[in-house]
Structure formats: structure tokens, C-alpha cells
Amino acid sequence: MGMMQRIRSLSPILVTGIIIFFLLLMILPNDINEMIGSIRNVGPNTVIGEIDGEKFLKSEFDEKVKEAVEQQRAQMAQQGQNQEIDESQVREQVWNQWVSEVLMRSEAKKAGISVSDEELADVIFDNPPEYLKKSFTDSNGTFMREQYNKLMTDPEGFIASNPNIPENEKEKQTETIKKQLHQIETQIIQTKLQENLQGLTAASSGISEVYLQRKYNVENSSADVNFVFIDANMVSEKDVKVSDDEVNKYYESNKQYFKQKPARKIKSVSFPLVPSSDDTTRFLKSVSTIANGLSSTPDVKSRDSLFESYIPQYNGTVKDFQLMKDIEPSISSILGTMTEHEIRGPIQIMGKTTFIRLDGRQSGGDTSVKASHILVPFGANKDSAKAKIEKALARVKGGEDFATVAREVSTDGSAQQGGDLGYFSRGRMVPEFEKAAFAASVGSIVGPVETQFGYHIIKVTDRITEKVKYSEITLSNTVSSSTKKRLKIEANNLAEQVKNGGNIDTLAKQLKKFAVESVFFEQSQPMLSAEITGFAFANHKGTVSKVYELPRQGYTVVQVSDEREKGIKLLEDVKDEIKAKLMRGKKLDVVKSKAEALAQQCMSAGTLDAAKTVDSSYKVRSAAKMKDNGQVPELGADNAFTAAVMLQEVGKISKAIRGERGYYVCQVTNATKADMSKFATDRDAITKQVASEMKQSAFYKWFSAVRDHADIEDNRIKIYNRQ
């Protein structure tokens, strides 16, 4: 068969595609060849990043991202969460972890620091961290060391001897465990290297005696104080002026304080992924069809058949027999009150509209309890918490509705549901709570029960030993594929128009949207997403991005609107900041005379209550046990005032005190001074605490500098923008 005959035998669509492709090659040879070359060059062995000769391949990176996503998804499932995972955020976390690991190993090698097999064995076997012990701790809090050691030393034997794992799953489970053990070992080594490097970076950080005494004095001194605050913002900006010359002079005199790292500004236009009116109409029609169909079918058998027909039509699911404890509590609490073949719905469960049918019950051989509780945490005063829980117990024992009291008294997340915890089996609650709940009879109220969380009152409302089978149809008002397609086309069109010279603000307005401009941000401060931040710093002013899909913003188009390189911030970038600072100083100068007059009046009267005679708007405030830590109740941070309070004589009205946002006049009513004679006794403990804080702070600053100066090759934007 000749070439033309072969071409003719192809479908018309394929022939058209080939023609268009060759036309593109002729019209845009450079762009097409570059595109083909880019695609051809990206493979599993493509280098994502490189530091000091250590390469991070695309295949390794993608595998780690996949593992992290699966791990996060499993954790969310255990917690009953069903949210989208931002994979761009996960990719950034994986990248940052790799960079930190490589730099940590490199710096440790330079310093001659390593982790010996003995150190590793000590952590794994003798002092395992809590996250490892957790899976091998029984309901009584006992660590099952023998089982733990067997898994760590012989994962194959551990899996092989476990009767709960099917034979055909054991090989896969063994490989998974081995991979996890390798990750644990890597993590422990990394932690030990960090601890050793922390010790090294903090070794030269001396702790002065003056600093220790100052810290002890601040933590152990306090004052009860009454005060009047005159806010500098009471002065209108019309009454004070800051000239451009004053701003320029301040800037020139303080340039050294306006250093900056490379920074970017971006403008973004979002196309939120929300259901269209057609999507909502379709959703409501589906709910109405099912609800009306079931309600208009009177007999059980016909309703059952109708529901059965709805299951495939609306992508419903049939859940085979399972224990109540293994069912989502919001569903198990409903199933527990249903009879066989009963249908409930529409019901709102976790933001979705659900129809449920109980298909059957059978003995499960395990007991589940349904209970409600009222929780009062210990707080600062355990006796007060006990008095509160006993008062609540008397109310419910006296006949008040348990759910009502729970809503009023309980601090637990279940309070809004009247304390309802749904069904749970043994091992799901802390031991003290479990013991009380399973020992109680249905309908009884027991307590107070003390646990690590506080005091509980427990009401057992049901007890079952069974499995249930049920079917459910879940509907939600979601964004349809056609709506997503339309929004993405709009976003792509906008991106192309801006790339071709269109103004992003004008084009956004035409779409009845806004181009939102960010402030200047550094690369260490992700804006919108890590991927978008990477795009901004890999490009220059005017560059337009591809269309990103963000979990909360939807489809987003970004343009780099401005850029700054490392150096001194431009005056235009700090002008407003300087003007506000100078304005605040001038306003303080204006209120100074008012504060001095207020102080004189109060001194003459011998009380702060005289403030009202000066200005009826003045308010006398009180603060108990104020410390010299810069925190002023109701007003926020003001180091100048808290420092001045500690110097005041008890009972004496102060002079006007200039703070950071206004003036104060105060009267200390009681003062507790630190007993410096006890400092020597507590010195070692304080030194240890300060050393730990300084060690962490010094390491963080040092490692941040290491990363800032490291030669890190980052190819993520180039590679993933092609895909």
C-alpha cells in the first residue's frame, strides 16, 4: 500500500490533526521544536535540584510527594476529614525537607559530626520517641516493648506471625514496613545531627549574669496597677503634618535599618470553583426527585425497591456488614435508631445531603456504647472545675435535659450536639472514660470521672453488640466538569490576553473581577502557594503565569507586577511606614500637655478618679499582676509603659508616662518584688532554660544563614511549568 493510500485509510480527524501539526511546524518552528525538546528532555532522571553535587531526581521527588500525599490522606481519613490536599504545598514541604537534610549532612560533615550505630540503637531500642511507642501502647497505657522490638528487628517475622493480615497481603505489608523503618532511621539520624549542631552553634553563646538576673527579676516581679490611657490617635491627622522633606531626612538617616532580601509583588485574578446556577439547579432537582419519590411511595416494599433503583442512578453505595465502631460516628448515631429497611433522608451529614437505608443487622461479637458527656477541664483551679462539674451533675440528676446542660457547661467540641459522642468501642477513649462508660447501664448517668482532659459526666444512651449493613446515597452541590471547563477557558483566555500586552486590571474588570495586588514578599514568605511564589522569583516584572488551580482560590492567573533585588529598600516602598512613624511621634507630642495636666489634677486629688473632671471620656483601667513583658491588657504591646510601672512607688500617682501609642498616668496599688536572695538557688534551672532557648534561637539563625548562602540549584519551575 502506497503512502497516500495509507493516509487516506486514516480517520478524517487524525488526518486533520496531522495536517495542523505539520502546519505548526512550518509556521512556528522554533516554538514547537523548543516545546518538543522540553517534553523529550523531562524524564525520571531529570534533575529537580542539586546541592554540593548531591542531586534530587524527578523520579525520587515524585515518589516522595506521592508518599507524603498518601500519608496525609490516611491521617485525614482517620480523623474523619474529607478535604482536598494542596499538592503544591506538599511538593514545597518535600523540597524544603530535602534541602534541610542535605545542608544538615553537609554542615555536620564539615564539623566532623556523625551519628554512630550505638547512638541510633539507643534511640530506637532504649529510648524510642513517643510517635513510635504510640502504636505499641495498649488501652491501659502500657508500652508493649516485646512486640515493638520484634517489629524493629524482624519485620518479616512480625508480619508472618500476625494472623490478622491475609496471606496475600503479607509480602506487600512487609515491604511497606521496611520502607517506613528506613524513613524512621533517616529521621532519627537527622534529629541527632540537628541536636549535635545545635550544641555546636550555641557553644560560643555566653549567658551573662546580668541577663540571668534581669530575666529572674522580670518573671518574679509584678504589680497591680490602675491607669488612664490617652490614645495619640485621638489627635486628628488634619492637626499634624508630616512633610516630604521630613520623610526624606528620616530615610537618609536610617537607611541601614531598611535592608531587604529579594522581593516580588504579584497581581492575581481568581476564578473560584463554585457551583454555577445550573449546577445548583441540578443538585436540588436530584434531592427533590429522591425525596418526593420516597415520600409518595407509602408501603415499605415499594420504597425499598425504589431506593434500590436510585442507588446506581445517583452513584450510591452499599456498605457490607461492619461493626458500629468502624462507621463514621455521624452515620452510626443515625443507624443505631433505625429499623431494618427503614429509609432516612434527606439528612445533612458533613456538609452533604444523604439518604440512608438500614439493610440488616447481625451479631458482631463486640460491644459498642453510645454515650453523651459533659466536660469541664481543670484549668488553673482543679477544685473550681470539680465544683462546676458537681453542680452540673446535680442538675442532670435532678431531671434537667442532659443535652441542654451539656450545651451550657461543656467545653468539648461535642457540646453543640448536646454532648453526643455517637457509638464507640473499647480502645477508642482514654482508659478512665472507657471503664466508666462500659460499666454503666443504658440510661444511667455517671460521674464525675477524672481523665487527663478534666472532669466528665457520662450518660450511656445505648449499648449494642452487632454489625450493620446499610446503603447510602450522598449528594452535594459540586462544581460540574462543564463549569470547571468554562472557568478554565476564561482563565486561559485572560492569561493569553495579558501575555499579548493586555492590561490585567482592565481585562479583569471586563470579567467583573479584580486583579488583587500583593504587598512585597520574600521567597521565604509564600504568597498564594509555594508554586506561585517560585514562579514569581524565577521571573521578572511583567511575566504572566500559566493557569494555576488552587484549593481555595480556584483557577488563578498571576502576573509579576514589581520586583526588588537585595539591598536597601527604596524610599517609595517605605514612605508610608516612615510617615506613620513620624505622624505617631507628632501626635504624642500633641497629647503630652493633656497628659501632664491630667497627672497634675490626679496628684492634687490623690486619686485617678479625678480624670473624669478633666475629660469625661477618660477611663480608669485596671491590670492585675502586670509584668515587665510589654503586654498591657486591652491595649496590646507597650514596653515603655510596663517598664515604667515596675519603677513606680506603691500608692503614688505617676507623672505622665510616654508610651509607644499614647500617654499614661498610673497608680500602683500593690507590688511584688522578686526575692533576689533566692536567685542563687534557682540559678541553675534558669541557666538551663535560657541555654535551651538560646541554643534553638542560635541554631535557627545560623541554619537560615547557611541556607541563604547555599548554592541551591532549583529546577522545579522549569520542569513542572512544562507539564
PDB file of all heavy atoms in Angstrom, residues 280-306:
ATOM      1  N   THR A 280     -26.377  24.075  40.725  1.00  0.00           N
ATOM      2  CA  THR A 280     -27.259  24.110  41.899  1.00  0.00           C
ATOM      3  C   THR A 280     -28.647  23.588  41.553  1.00  0.00           C
ATOM      4  O   THR A 280     -29.245  22.826  42.319  1.00  0.00           O
ATOM      5  CB  THR A 280     -27.346  25.545  42.450  1.00  0.00           C
ATOM      6  OG1 THR A 280     -26.028  25.997  42.789  1.00  0.00           O
ATOM      7  CG2 THR A 280     -28.226  25.599  43.687  1.00  0.00           C
ATOM      8  N   THR A 281     -29.142  23.997  40.397  1.00  0.00           N
ATOM      9  CA  THR A 281     -30.469  23.523  39.963  1.00  0.00           C
ATOM     10  C   THR A 281     -30.474  22.012  39.800  1.00  0.00           C
ATOM     11  O   THR A 281     -31.415  21.318  40.211  1.00  0.00           O
ATOM     12  CB  THR A 281     -30.856  24.190  38.623  1.00  0.00           C
ATOM     13  OG1 THR A 281     -30.900  25.608  38.813  1.00  0.00           O
ATOM     14  CG2 THR A 281     -32.214  23.694  38.146  1.00  0.00           C
ATOM     15  N   ARG A 282     -29.387  21.479  39.218  1.00  0.00           N
ATOM     16  CA  ARG A 282     -29.265  20.038  39.005  1.00  0.00           C
ATOM     17  C   ARG A 282     -29.225  19.291  40.348  1.00  0.00           C
ATOM     18  O   ARG A 282     -29.856  18.254  40.521  1.00  0.00           O
ATOM     19  CB  ARG A 282     -28.005  19.767  38.186  1.00  0.00           C
ATOM     20  CG  ARG A 282     -27.937  18.393  37.554  1.00  0.00           C
ATOM     21  CD  ARG A 282     -26.967  18.313  36.391  1.00  0.00           C
ATOM     22  NE  ARG A 282     -25.794  19.133  36.533  1.00  0.00           N
ATOM     23  CZ  ARG A 282     -25.527  20.189  35.748  1.00  0.00           C
ATOM     24  NH1 ARG A 282     -26.349  20.523  34.776  1.00  0.00           N
ATOM     25  NH2 ARG A 282     -24.424  20.899  35.926  1.00  0.00           N
ATOM     26  N   PHE A 283     -28.476  19.839  41.296  1.00  0.00           N
ATOM     27  CA  PHE A 283     -28.365  19.236  42.628  1.00  0.00           C
ATOM     28  C   PHE A 283     -29.731  19.216  43.333  1.00  0.00           C
ATOM     29  O   PHE A 283     -30.167  18.185  43.857  1.00  0.00           O
ATOM     30  CB  PHE A 283     -27.336  20.015  43.454  1.00  0.00           C
ATOM     31  CG  PHE A 283     -27.442  19.814  44.932  1.00  0.00           C
ATOM     32  CD1 PHE A 283     -27.087  18.606  45.521  1.00  0.00           C
ATOM     33  CD2 PHE A 283     -27.912  20.832  45.752  1.00  0.00           C
ATOM     34  CE1 PHE A 283     -27.193  18.419  46.891  1.00  0.00           C
ATOM     35  CE2 PHE A 283     -28.022  20.657  47.117  1.00  0.00           C
ATOM     36  CZ  PHE A 283     -27.665  19.441  47.688  1.00  0.00           C
ATOM     37  N   LEU A 284     -30.392  20.370  43.351  1.00  0.00           N
ATOM     38  CA  LEU A 284     -31.696  20.471  44.037  1.00  0.00           C
ATOM     39  C   LEU A 284     -32.731  19.562  43.387  1.00  0.00           C
ATOM     40  O   LEU A 284     -33.579  18.973  44.077  1.00  0.00           O
ATOM     41  CB  LEU A 284     -32.179  21.922  44.034  1.00  0.00           C
ATOM     42  CG  LEU A 284     -31.344  22.911  44.863  1.00  0.00           C
ATOM     43  CD1 LEU A 284     -31.846  24.335  44.661  1.00  0.00           C
ATOM     44  CD2 LEU A 284     -31.392  22.530  46.342  1.00  0.00           C
ATOM     45  N   LYS A 285     -32.642  19.426  42.064  1.00  0.00           N
ATOM     46  CA  LYS A 285     -33.575  18.548  41.352  1.00  0.00           C
ATOM     47  C   LYS A 285     -33.358  17.090  41.757  1.00  0.00           C
ATOM     48  O   LYS A 285     -34.320  16.334  41.954  1.00  0.00           O
ATOM     49  CB  LYS A 285     -33.397  18.715  39.846  1.00  0.00           C
ATOM     50  CG  LYS A 285     -34.398  17.908  39.022  1.00  0.00           C
ATOM     51  CD  LYS A 285     -34.202  18.135  37.529  1.00  0.00           C
ATOM     52  CE  LYS A 285     -35.191  17.294  36.723  1.00  0.00           C
ATOM     53  NZ  LYS A 285     -34.983  17.477  35.258  1.00  0.00           N
ATOM     54  N   SER A 286     -32.088  16.690  41.915  1.00  0.00           N
ATOM     55  CA  SER A 286     -31.778  15.314  42.328  1.00  0.00           C
ATOM     56  C   SER A 286     -32.309  15.032  43.729  1.00  0.00           C
ATOM     57  O   SER A 286     -32.918  13.992  43.975  1.00  0.00           O
ATOM     58  CB  SER A 286     -30.257  15.079  42.287  1.00  0.00           C
ATOM     59  OG  SER A 286     -29.761  15.211  40.976  1.00  0.00           O
ATOM     60  N   VAL A 287     -32.064  15.967  44.654  1.00  0.00           N
ATOM     61  CA  VAL A 287     -32.557  15.800  46.029  1.00  0.00           C
ATOM     62  C   VAL A 287     -34.076  15.711  46.032  1.00  0.00           C
ATOM     63  O   VAL A 287     -34.669  14.850  46.691  1.00  0.00           O
ATOM     64  CB  VAL A 287     -32.081  16.970  46.926  1.00  0.00           C
ATOM     65  CG1 VAL A 287     -32.731  16.884  48.310  1.00  0.00           C
ATOM     66  CG2 VAL A 287     -30.566  16.973  47.057  1.00  0.00           C
ATOM     67  N   SER A 288     -34.706  16.610  45.274  1.00  0.00           N
ATOM     68  CA  SER A 288     -36.170  16.650  45.226  1.00  0.00           C
ATOM     69  C   SER A 288     -36.746  15.369  44.621  1.00  0.00           C
ATOM     70  O   SER A 288     -37.742  14.831  45.111  1.00  0.00           O
ATOM     71  CB  SER A 288     -36.618  17.869  44.411  1.00  0.00           C
ATOM     72  OG  SER A 288     -38.011  17.902  44.291  1.00  0.00           O
ATOM     73  N   THR A 289     -36.106  14.875  43.565  1.00  0.00           N
ATOM     74  CA  THR A 289     -36.594  13.650  42.907  1.00  0.00           C
ATOM     75  C   THR A 289     -36.594  12.469  43.878  1.00  0.00           C
ATOM     76  O   THR A 289     -37.571  11.723  43.976  1.00  0.00           O
ATOM     77  CB  THR A 289     -35.711  13.312  41.684  1.00  0.00           C
ATOM     78  OG1 THR A 289     -35.788  14.380  40.742  1.00  0.00           O
ATOM     79  CG2 THR A 289     -36.170  12.019  41.027  1.00  0.00           C
ATOM     80  N   ILE A 290     -35.466  12.315  44.620  1.00  0.00           N
ATOM     81  CA  ILE A 290     -35.366  11.196  45.562  1.00  0.00           C
ATOM     82  C   ILE A 290     -36.348  11.379  46.718  1.00  0.00           C
ATOM     83  O   ILE A 290     -37.099  10.455  47.066  1.00  0.00           O
ATOM     84  CB  ILE A 290     -33.931  11.070  46.102  1.00  0.00           C
ATOM     85  CG1 ILE A 290     -32.965  10.751  44.958  1.00  0.00           C
ATOM     86  CG2 ILE A 290     -33.853   9.978  47.165  1.00  0.00           C
ATOM     87  CD1 ILE A 290     -31.504  10.770  45.367  1.00  0.00           C
ATOM     88  N   ALA A 291     -36.360  12.583  47.297  1.00  0.00           N
ATOM     89  CA  ALA A 291     -37.220  12.835  48.463  1.00  0.00           C
ATOM     90  C   ALA A 291     -38.697  12.682  48.110  1.00  0.00           C
ATOM     91  O   ALA A 291     -39.456  12.023  48.847  1.00  0.00           O
ATOM     92  CB  ALA A 291     -36.947  14.232  49.023  1.00  0.00           C
ATOM     93  N   ASN A 292     -39.108  13.268  46.998  1.00  0.00           N
ATOM     94  CA  ASN A 292     -40.519  13.186  46.599  1.00  0.00           C
ATOM     95  C   ASN A 292     -40.905  11.759  46.217  1.00  0.00           C
ATOM     96  O   ASN A 292     -42.015  11.296  46.520  1.00  0.00           O
ATOM     97  CB  ASN A 292     -40.799  14.134  45.431  1.00  0.00           C
ATOM     98  CG  ASN A 292     -40.716  15.595  45.844  1.00  0.00           C
ATOM     99  OD1 ASN A 292     -40.845  15.918  47.026  1.00  0.00           O
ATOM    100  ND2 ASN A 292     -40.500  16.480  44.878  1.00  0.00           N
ATOM    101  N   GLY A 293     -39.970  11.079  45.539  1.00  0.00           N
ATOM    102  CA  GLY A 293     -40.262   9.700  45.151  1.00  0.00           C
ATOM    103  C   GLY A 293     -40.479   8.810  46.356  1.00  0.00           C
ATOM    104  O   GLY A 293     -41.417   8.003  46.391  1.00  0.00           O
ATOM    105  N   LEU A 294     -39.639   8.944  47.370  1.00  0.00           N
ATOM    106  CA  LEU A 294     -39.752   8.117  48.576  1.00  0.00           C
ATOM    107  C   LEU A 294     -40.977   8.484  49.393  1.00  0.00           C
ATOM    108  O   LEU A 294     -41.687   7.611  49.912  1.00  0.00           O
ATOM    109  CB  LEU A 294     -38.483   8.263  49.431  1.00  0.00           C
ATOM    110  CG  LEU A 294     -37.195   7.705  48.818  1.00  0.00           C
ATOM    111  CD1 LEU A 294     -35.986   8.088  49.674  1.00  0.00           C
ATOM    112  CD2 LEU A 294     -37.263   6.180  48.675  1.00  0.00           C
ATOM    113  N   SER A 295     -41.239   9.798  49.512  1.00  0.00           N
ATOM    114  CA  SER A 295     -42.371  10.224  50.351  1.00  0.00           C
ATOM    115  C   SER A 295     -43.722   9.873  49.725  1.00  0.00           C
ATOM    116  O   SER A 295     -44.716   9.692  50.429  1.00  0.00           O
ATOM    117  CB  SER A 295     -42.299  11.733  50.612  1.00  0.00           C
ATOM    118  OG  SER A 295     -42.405  12.460  49.392  1.00  0.00           O
ATOM    119  N   SER A 296     -43.753   9.773  48.387  1.00  0.00           N
ATOM    120  CA  SER A 296     -45.020   9.461  47.719  1.00  0.00           C
ATOM    121  C   SER A 296     -45.235   7.957  47.539  1.00  0.00           C
ATOM    122  O   SER A 296     -46.220   7.535  46.939  1.00  0.00           O
ATOM    123  CB  SER A 296     -45.065  10.154  46.354  1.00  0.00           C
ATOM    124  OG  SER A 296     -44.022   9.679  45.517  1.00  0.00           O
ATOM    125  N   THR A 297     -44.276   7.173  48.037  1.00  0.00           N
ATOM    126  CA  THR A 297     -44.408   5.712  47.964  1.00  0.00           C
ATOM    127  C   THR A 297     -44.694   5.196  49.372  1.00  0.00           C
ATOM    128  O   THR A 297     -43.782   5.119  50.206  1.00  0.00           O
ATOM    129  CB  THR A 297     -43.120   5.075  47.414  1.00  0.00           C
ATOM    130  OG1 THR A 297     -42.779   5.707  46.166  1.00  0.00           O
ATOM    131  CG2 THR A 297     -43.293   3.583  47.196  1.00  0.00           C
ATOM    132  N   PRO A 298     -45.927   4.839  49.666  1.00  0.00           N
ATOM    133  CA  PRO A 298     -46.322   4.572  51.060  1.00  0.00           C
ATOM    134  C   PRO A 298     -45.803   3.261  51.659  1.00  0.00           C
ATOM    135  O   PRO A 298     -45.355   3.240  52.793  1.00  0.00           O
ATOM    136  CB  PRO A 298     -47.847   4.584  51.007  1.00  0.00           C
ATOM    137  CG  PRO A 298     -48.178   4.218  49.585  1.00  0.00           C
ATOM    138  CD  PRO A 298     -47.080   4.775  48.750  1.00  0.00           C
ATOM    139  N   ASP A 299     -45.840   2.157  50.904  1.00  0.00           N
ATOM    140  CA  ASP A 299     -45.507   0.875  51.540  1.00  0.00           C
ATOM    141  C   ASP A 299     -44.002   0.622  51.521  1.00  0.00           C
ATOM    142  O   ASP A 299     -43.273   1.049  50.619  1.00  0.00           O
ATOM    143  CB  ASP A 299     -46.252  -0.282  50.857  1.00  0.00           C
ATOM    144  CG  ASP A 299     -45.834  -0.439  49.402  1.00  0.00           C
ATOM    145  OD1 ASP A 299     -46.284   0.386  48.571  1.00  0.00           O
ATOM    146  OD2 ASP A 299     -45.054  -1.352  49.113  1.00  0.00           O
ATOM    147  N   VAL A 300     -43.551  -0.101  52.543  1.00  0.00           N
ATOM    148  CA  VAL A 300     -42.124  -0.333  52.774  1.00  0.00           C
ATOM    149  C   VAL A 300     -41.471  -1.041  51.595  1.00  0.00           C
ATOM    150  O   VAL A 300     -40.374  -0.681  51.162  1.00  0.00           O
ATOM    151  CB  VAL A 300     -41.917  -1.152  54.065  1.00  0.00           C
ATOM    152  CG1 VAL A 300     -40.446  -1.519  54.234  1.00  0.00           C
ATOM    153  CG2 VAL A 300     -42.404  -0.375  55.270  1.00  0.00           C
ATOM    154  N   LYS A 301     -42.141  -2.072  51.053  1.00  0.00           N
ATOM    155  CA  LYS A 301     -41.549  -2.866  49.979  1.00  0.00           C
ATOM    156  C   LYS A 301     -41.314  -2.024  48.724  1.00  0.00           C
ATOM    157  O   LYS A 301     -40.258  -2.103  48.087  1.00  0.00           O
ATOM    158  CB  LYS A 301     -42.450  -4.054  49.668  1.00  0.00           C
ATOM    159  CG  LYS A 301     -41.816  -5.047  48.697  1.00  0.00           C
ATOM    160  CD  LYS A 301     -42.684  -6.287  48.534  1.00  0.00           C
ATOM    161  CE  LYS A 301     -42.014  -7.286  47.588  1.00  0.00           C
ATOM    162  NZ  LYS A 301     -42.840  -8.495  47.395  1.00  0.00           N
ATOM    163  N   SER A 302     -42.288  -1.199  48.389  1.00  0.00           N
ATOM    164  CA  SER A 302     -42.156  -0.359  47.196  1.00  0.00           C
ATOM    165  C   SER A 302     -41.077   0.707  47.387  1.00  0.00           C
ATOM    166  O   SER A 302     -40.300   1.003  46.469  1.00  0.00           O
ATOM    167  CB  SER A 302     -43.489   0.325  46.876  1.00  0.00           C
ATOM    168  OG  SER A 302     -44.478  -0.634  46.599  1.00  0.00           O
ATOM    169  N   ARG A 303     -41.035   1.273  48.595  1.00  0.00           N
ATOM    170  CA  ARG A 303     -39.995   2.270  48.893  1.00  0.00           C
ATOM    171  C   ARG A 303     -38.613   1.638  48.791  1.00  0.00           C
ATOM    172  O   ARG A 303     -37.668   2.238  48.277  1.00  0.00           O
ATOM    173  CB  ARG A 303     -40.197   2.845  50.305  1.00  0.00           C
ATOM    174  CG  ARG A 303     -41.233   3.958  50.381  1.00  0.00           C
ATOM    175  CD  ARG A 303     -41.635   4.238  51.829  1.00  0.00           C
ATOM    176  NE  ARG A 303     -40.511   4.607  52.660  1.00  0.00           N
ATOM    177  CZ  ARG A 303     -40.035   5.838  52.808  1.00  0.00           C
ATOM    178  NH1 ARG A 303     -40.611   6.832  52.141  1.00  0.00           N
ATOM    179  NH2 ARG A 303     -39.021   6.096  53.606  1.00  0.00           N
ATOM    180  N   ASP A 304     -38.528   0.389  49.281  1.00  0.00           N
ATOM    181  CA  ASP A 304     -37.258  -0.333  49.249  1.00  0.00           C
ATOM    182  C   ASP A 304     -36.803  -0.548  47.804  1.00  0.00           C
ATOM    183  O   ASP A 304     -35.633  -0.348  47.467  1.00  0.00           O
ATOM    184  CB  ASP A 304     -37.430  -1.672  49.971  1.00  0.00           C
ATOM    185  CG  ASP A 304     -36.101  -2.246  50.432  1.00  0.00           C
ATOM    186  OD1 ASP A 304     -35.378  -1.531  51.152  1.00  0.00           O
ATOM    187  OD2 ASP A 304     -35.788  -3.390  50.075  1.00  0.00           O
ATOM    188  N   SER A 305     -37.726  -0.937  46.949  1.00  0.00           N
ATOM    189  CA  SER A 305     -37.405  -1.171  45.538  1.00  0.00           C
ATOM    190  C   SER A 305     -37.012   0.126  44.843  1.00  0.00           C
ATOM    191  O   SER A 305     -36.082   0.162  44.024  1.00  0.00           O
ATOM    192  CB  SER A 305     -38.609  -1.793  44.814  1.00  0.00           C
ATOM    193  OG  SER A 305     -38.910  -3.061  45.352  1.00  0.00           O
ATOM    194  N   LEU A 306     -37.753   1.207  45.169  1.00  0.00           N
ATOM    195  CA  LEU A 306     -37.458   2.500  44.564  1.00  0.00           C
ATOM    196  C   LEU A 306     -36.061   2.980  44.976  1.00  0.00           C
ATOM    197  O   LEU A 306     -35.279   3.446  44.139  1.00  0.00           O
ATOM    198  CB  LEU A 306     -38.504   3.529  44.984  1.00  0.00           C
ATOM    199  CG  LEU A 306     -38.360   4.931  44.373  1.00  0.00           C
ATOM    200  CD1 LEU A 306     -38.476   4.868  42.851  1.00  0.00           C
ATOM    201  CD2 LEU A 306     -39.419   5.880  44.941  1.00  0.00           C
TER     202      LEU A 306
END
